[in-house]
Amino acid sequence: MIVGIDLGGMSAKAACLDGATLTERARMETSASNSPEETAFALTRLSMRAAELAGIPFEEVEAIGIGSPGVIDGATGTVVLWSNFGWKDVRLASMVERYSGKPVFVLNDANAAALGEAKYGAGKAYEDCALITIGTGIGSGIVIGGKLFEGFRGAGTEFGHTVIRQNGELCTCGRRGCYEIYASATALIRLTREEMQRNRNSLMWRFAISLDDADGKTAFSAAQKHDASAKAVLSEYFAALGEGIVNLVNLLRPQAVLLGGGVSAAGEKLLTPLREYVYPRLYVSEQYAPFELLLASLGNDAGLFGAAEYARDRLHS
């Protein structure tokens, strides 16, 4: 039995991976005010609670996998940098190993989600697939030949920080024109609010009584009512999101790209126009090298699945 942990800035959750099923989830709050040692101890207690909820003695747990935000060196289980917590070169795996007595493996949380989807979710029918998570930023992970690709020292697959518009808007990373600036949920909300300011007659005002109320659903809702300004917002957004997908497919040619995160809740309202944008622009047609654009299916559990799978793979490799 393997315990998977999804570590976040406000909370962490853990569950045991039993075959292809997660047992009941254990949860706890996290805080940047806690030291790395305090967090490691709490994560150990959390893994013990997950085993308890699964009805197994902790002695039967083979290993613990942790999906963590930040730049992660999976070979050493080190959180190289996690800005939100102010962590730098935190040897998280070693700390949790010391408290738990179990082998511990750490990977980036977006990579964990990608691995989870590839092995247990929408990507399980494919050897090669990629996950793009559309949230406040852009998360991404790539699985090639059934194995997670992390790049040298775990520093790869930061697809959100590839440039799609030369000299474009300033990104939080310091570069201009990054994919994240144009294709994240934050970007969609920004486009929505800008259009609402330009057009007070837009039906988007019926779905958001103020600019602050506008969110990632506003343009989709108004577009369903045939509002031209909402359709214009979505057209611009789909082009940006689609352009990055085309780049990714042309570079790596995965069999599938999976879309997760809040914006993916739009379902076919998102997929249909994206497919119309992406497929004609692929360098090699999908008739020759079949390619699928799909929704991720595991939701918030993807990271738990992936963290546990990563630990299982590393334990037996």
Side-chain angles (χ1 to χ4, degrees):
M1 194 79 74
I2 308 290
V3 173
I5 297 177
D6 186 0
L7 173 60
M10 298 182 67
S11 66
K13 55 186 179 179
C16 294
L17 183 61
D18 184 8
T21 305
L22 289 178
T23 61
E24 186 176 345
R25 286 68 163 161
R27 291 176 172 81
M28 73 174 200
E29 293 183 355
T30 59
S31 173
S33 63
N34 294 332
S35 70
E37 284 283 354
E38 289 172 327
T39 299
F41 180 74
L43 291 177
T44 301
R45 295 291 300 272
L46 183 69
S47 65
M48 291 178 174
R49 175 60 176 158
E52 180 184 357
L53 291 173
I56 64 168
F58 191 64
E59 290 75 19
E60 294 183 14
V61 170
E62 298 176 75
I64 299 170
I66 303 173
S68 169
V71 179
I72 311 297
D73 183 350
T76 62
T78 300
V79 181
V80 179
L81 181 66
W82 182 10
S83 300
N84 288 353
F85 267 33
W87 285 9
K88 186 175 181 180
D89 296 326
V90 171
R91 298 184 69 86
L92 184 61
S94 296
M95 292 178 182
V96 178
E97 282 179 357
R98 187 167 65 250
Y99 289 122
S100 68
K102 305 293 181 182
V104 179
F105 305 94
V106 184
L107 75 164
N108 171 267
D109 54 355
N111 284 341
L115 184 59
E117 286 287 349
K119 293 294 186 178
Y120 300 97
K124 64 184 178 182
Y126 308 100
E127 282 291 301
D128 307 313
C129 66
L131 173 69
I132 298 175
T133 304
I134 311 165
T136 304
I138 291 286
S140 55
I142 298 167
V143 173
I144 300 174
K147 297 290 185 180
L148 181 68
F149 176 77
E150 298 178 90
F152 181 55
R153 300 188 70 183
T157 72
E158 291 291 346
F159 188 53
H161 298 291
T162 56
V163 171
I164 64 166
R165 194 167 303 177
Q166 193 74 20
N167 300 317
E169 296 289 334
L170 182 66
C171 180
T172 55
C173 74
R175 299 180 73 204
R176 289 187 175 274
C178 285
Y179 188 48
E180 180 169 288
I181 289 294
Y182 297 99
S184 62
T186 304
L188 175 57
I189 294 168
R190 184 182 69 249
L191 289 172
T192 299
R193 291 174 177 172
E194 289 172 353
E195 181 60 25
M196 289 172 67
Q197 285 180 303
R198 281 192 295 267
N199 186 356
R200 298 292 301 189
N201 294 320
S202 170
L203 291 182
M204 289 189 287
W205 286 102
R206 294 187 185 178
F207 297 94
I209 59 175
S210 71
L211 289 176
D212 289 340
D213 287 331
D215 59 20
K217 300 176 183 177
T218 304
F220 282 102
S221 298
Q224 282 293 103
K225 300 294 184 181
H226 310 291
D227 180 63
S229 60
K231 289 181 178 180
V233 166
L234 292 179
S235 178
E236 182 175 350
Y237 177 70
F238 294 147
L241 182 58
E243 199 64 34
I245 294 170
V246 171
N247 290 342
L248 178 62
V249 176
N250 284 347
L251 178 65
L252 296 176
R253 198 56 186 212
Q255 294 163 290
V257 169
L258 316 176
L259 302 180
V263 174
S264 69
E268 286 300 324
K269 298 175 193 173
L270 174 69
L271 283 182
T272 298
L274 270 182
R275 287 168 176 153
E276 291 172 355
Y277 185 93
V278 169
Y279 287 134
R281 291 171 171 80
L282 297 178
Y283 183 70
V284 178
S285 75
E286 73 274 16
Q287 284 77 27
Y288 172 75
F291 161 74
E292 298 288 343
L293 185 58
L294 306 167
L295 297 177
S297 63
L298 297 178
N300 293 330
D301 285 339
L304 289 173
F305 275 105
E309 179 65 24
Y310 185 78
R312 175 183 285 167
D313 185 64
R314 290 286 300 277
L315 185 66
H316 298 294
S317 62

